Amino acid sequence: MDLPINTHDSGFYDGFARAVAIPGKIIVTLIILWAIFFPVSAMETLEVANSTIIAAFSGWYVYLVAALILVCGGLALVPQTGSLRIGPAGEAPEFSRFSWFSMLFGAGIGIGMLTYSTGEPLAHFANNPDIIRGNVEAVSAEAVRSAYMWTFLHWGFGAWCTYALVGLAIGYVSHRRNLPLTIRSSLAPLFGRSMSGFAGHAVDVVAVVATILGVAVTMGLGVQQFVAGLHRIGMGDWLMSDAGDGTMTASAAAIVIALLVLVGASTLSALSGVGRGIKWLSNINMTLSFGLLALFATVGAGFFGLQLLGIGIWDYVTTLPANSLTLFARDGSETGDALVQWQLDWSVFYWAWWIAFAPFVGMFIARISRGRTIREYVFGVALVPAMMCFIWMAFAGGTAIELELSGAAEGRILAAGISDQLYATLAVLLSPEAAWVVSSLVVVLLMTYLVTSVDSAILIVNTINGAGEDEGTRRYHILFWGVALSFVVGSMLILGGIDAIRITMIIGALPFSMVVAVMCVAILKAVIHDLIRKHHGVPTTAEACEEWLEENKRPADLEPSQSS
């Protein structure tokens, strides 16, 4: 119940743990300089990493995420562990269920949903493991069912149990034992006060770098779709350039201008704090998101979307154990190589993305979940947002697929790049005037999601650097991370497009994936030992310990044990 973290008490780093803040800044700065001044070397290195390091650790990502689903499910379903509260016994949750669900929706769903709600079902409609094996024909009615099975796999429990586990590991010990709300606290049940020193600093630095790279992927996707939207509503042909594969992508000039606007707005919002900028933007996000979803449900593939939702959930649940543990291996055949490459491009990328995003989303969820039981927490974090993802994919993606199957789209949606497919769907579905209006609203929604995600990530990075405290003078640090993030995204997009950011993120997420694995063990130990303490009448929360010390008139300043 005591994890002191040394912070500086004056100067530029007042209130910050310099052993975390400075190394994190150095690592991110070196990545930026490497991409800008040595682009050829950077691209060659990334290509080598893509074919060696990532492939070597693909099994690690696949089996780790399967383990996270199993641990989260076990903690929620076992009666004794599920009833434990994330905070003092009897404490009521800080937020209502509606507000809590709304914040969960805003934390982990947004830019990715707008890009992949149409993009992923269409991609698997054209190519997925069943198509590669020759079981179904690409771009046919028979390919739709398998397309949704794989889409739901990537946006279901794998994503949300990753967030839930990280958030639970942090929140459980922070709220029950009054430890700092930071990544290292989650490992205190295993390593005790040794996490105050070098090991704890290293864990927080890894989390900072993973967060920046994870948000960079989200930002990169959002910038490309933002520029594509501006092009769709008539802001100029200069915004797009030929990608060389028949699709159009954002031009270098458009990327730079978009980043200046979006990251500038994000930094200003972060400077205004959670109570004003982030809260206001989140309300806009929620309203516009449900309005867009209602459009697809009523004007688009309403009944077809409902069918996809029901069948997709059934297929997902019944195949979850097998698909979660499936690791394709090269067998020297063309089919085997294609299956391995598909898994690297989709499943492994997603698992790394969720892990890289987990420090940011996990800490946010831990912050807003005080007072809930483990069972309510896991079900709320894993089930509700996953269902929202499924609904979005079914109605938005289902509309795009139905337009292609009926011939109305004439291949225009499939031919568009992934960042442009949502706009292409609206262009086919609606009249030109209506499509322009709705596309303009999507551009606004994208901007608010981008700003919300980036400013929240900047504030979380500062909280990690500030030893769990989010107060104090941090304006210069907010500006640094805003500028650094824009340079990471801009340099990588110009260097090699979104693929360069994806590869960098997968590599950057690898160290934090090791931390997540240890978190699994730590939260299991913390929960099991609390059950043992509870059985023997020993206090299990900081507040209960203080009451016990007062009742027994014991000195409260006794040196706490390593395992407390």
Side-chain angles (χ1 to χ4, degrees):
M1 295 181 296
D2 184 27
L3 190 66
I5 302 174
N6 289 330
T7 56
H8 206 52
D9 57 5
S10 63
F12 184 75
Y13 284 98
D14 181 24
F16 279 78
R18 288 188 296 182
V20 177
I22 294 176
K25 290 180 177 180
I26 290 174
I27 292 171
V28 171
T29 301
L30 289 175
I31 292 173
I32 295 169
L33 295 176
W34 179 51
I36 292 176
F37 293 106
F38 304 98
V40 176
S41 170
M43 201 60 220
E44 289 176 350
T45 303
L46 289 176
E47 288 173 354
V48 171
N50 191 35
S51 60
T52 55
I53 298 174
I54 297 173
F57 284 94
S58 60
W60 165 250
Y61 282 120
V62 169
Y63 295 134
L64 174 60
V65 171
L68 299 181
I69 297 173
L70 185 62
V71 170
C72 282
L75 288 173
L77 294 174
V78 174
Q80 292 84 350
T81 58
S83 62
L84 290 173
R85 196 167 294 276
I86 305 172
E91 182 179 30
E94 182 179 356
F95 301 100
S96 68
R97 278 203 178 98
F98 178 80
S99 297
W100 186 53
F101 289 144
S102 298
M103 286 185 281
L104 291 176
F105 179 87
I109 306 174
I111 301 165
M113 280 299 307
L114 290 176
T115 300
Y116 285 102
S117 58
T118 52
E120 181 152 3
L122 284 169
H124 299 329
F125 178 55
N127 186 42
N128 68 58
D130 288 319
I131 294 172
I132 293 171
R133 294 189 184 101
N135 297 334
V136 294
E137 183 181 350
V139 195
S140 67
E142 292 74 26
V144 176
R145 186 163 183 170
S146 58
Y148 270 86
M149 179 184 71
W150 293 107
T151 297
F152 284 5
L153 175 71
H154 296 149
W155 289 86
F157 298 150
W160 292 99
C161 285
T162 300
Y163 296 157
L165 189 283
V166 173
L168 181 61
I170 298 168
Y172 187 83
V173 295
S174 295
H175 296 320
R176 288 178 69 93
R177 305 184 186 187
N178 289 345
L179 297 185
L181 190 69
T182 188
I183 304 299
R184 70 176 75 190
S185 295
S186 64
L187 305 184
L190 284 177
F191 304 110
R193 296 181 73 188
S194 64
M195 296 309 296
S196 294
F198 175 80
H201 301 331
V203 167
D204 282 347
V205 169
V206 165
V208 166
V209 175
T211 298
I212 292 298
L213 295 179
V215 173
V217 172
T218 302
M219 190 74 178
L221 290 169
V223 164
Q224 289 189 325
Q225 195 171 26
F226 180 72
V227 172
L230 293 177
H231 180 259
R232 280 277 178 179
I233 62 177
M235 292 296 180
D237 292 337
W238 64 274
L239 292 164
M240 305 295 286
S241 60
D242 191 346
D245 58 359
T247 61
M248 302 294 287
T249 187
S251 65
I255 290 170
V256 171
I257 293 173
L259 284 171
L260 287 174
V261 173
L262 295 170
V263 177
S266 302
T267 304
L268 290 174
S269 179
L271 289 170
S272 72
V274 177
R276 281 180 283 179
I278 296 175
K279 180 180 178 181
W280 182 70
L281 288 171
S282 296
N283 291 336
I284 296 176
N285 294 346
M286 188 67 67
T287 303
L288 291 178
S289 295
F290 280 104
L292 185 60
L293 181 61
L295 173 71
F296 283 117
T298 55
V299 181
F303 182 68
F304 184 57
L306 282 174
Q307 287 181 306
L308 290 177
L309 181 63
I311 295 171
I313 290 175
W314 170 260
D315 288 344
Y316 168 65
V317 172
T318 55
T319 61
L320 179 61
N323 287 339
S324 295
L325 296 171
T326 295
L327 181 64
F328 298 125
R330 299 187 188 275
D331 56 7
S333 67
E334 185 178 341
T335 299
D337 290 347
L339 287 171
V340 169
Q341 191 59 51
W342 181 91
Q343 190 168 42
L344 290 175
D345 291 340
W346 288 100
S347 300
V348 174
F349 159 66
Y350 270 121
W351 300 160
W353 191 10
W354 304 144
I355 289 169
F357 223 53
F360 158 45
V361 179
M363 280 190 60
F364 178 77
I365 295 174
R367 164 65 184 82
I368 65 174
S369 299
R370 183 184 177 100
R372 302 194 181 275
T373 65
I374 290 179
R375 182 176 298 108
E376 182 185 11
Y377 169 89
V378 171
F379 286 160
V381 175
L383 286 178
V384 176
M387 277 301 303
M388 284 305 304
C389 290
F390 296 164
I391 293 170
W392 260 96
M393 298 289 183
F395 286 105
T399 298
I401 289 176
E402 187 177 56
L403 291 171
E404 287 289 356
L405 286 174
S406 67
E410 299 178 337
R412 284 176 288 169
I413 301 175
L414 282 169
I418 192 170
S419 297
D420 194 35
Q421 285 178 326
L422 179 60
Y423 302 112
T425 303
L426 293 171
V428 175
L429 180 66
L430 305 172
S431 67
E433 297 78 12
W436 187 91
V437 172
V438 177
S439 294
S440 299
L441 291 176
V442 172
V443 170
V444 173
L445 179 58
L446 256 175
M447 186 171 73
T448 57
Y449 267 132
L450 279 163
V451 172
T452 303
S453 296
V454 174
D455 63 10
S456 300
I458 290 171
L459 290 173
I460 288 296
V461 166
N462 267 344
T463 301
I464 297 173
N465 289 334
E469 296 294 333
D470 58 3
E471 302 296 334
T473 305
R474 292 178 166 85
R475 304 181 74 85
Y476 292 117
H477 303 281
I478 288 174
L479 291 172
F480 171 86
W481 288 114
V483 172
L485 186 57
S486 64
F487 271 102
V488 169
V489 175
S491 61
M492 288 295 175
L493 280 178
I494 295 171
L495 172 67
I498 194 64
D499 286 341
I501 302 180
R502 285 164 55 135
I503 298 168
T504 306
M505 181 273 299
I506 292 174
I507 298 170
L510 186 58
F512 189 70
S513 71
M514 312 294 180
V515 176
V516 172
V518 182
M519 279 184 174
C520 275
V521 181
I523 186 61
L524 287 173
K525 180 186 176 185
V527 167
I528 292 170
H529 280 224
D530 274 359
L531 289 176
I532 295 172
R533 294 183 184 105
K534 185 178 178 181
H535 177 73
H536 290 283
V538 177
T540 60
T541 65
E543 287 77 3
C545 284
E546 290 175 1
E547 293 174 2
W548 184 86
L549 288 168
E550 181 65 27
E551 290 172 1
N552 291 273
K553 300 186 184 301
R554 295 279 300 276
D557 59 347
L558 289 176
E559 182 70 16
S561 68
Q562 288 285 87
S563 61
S564 64

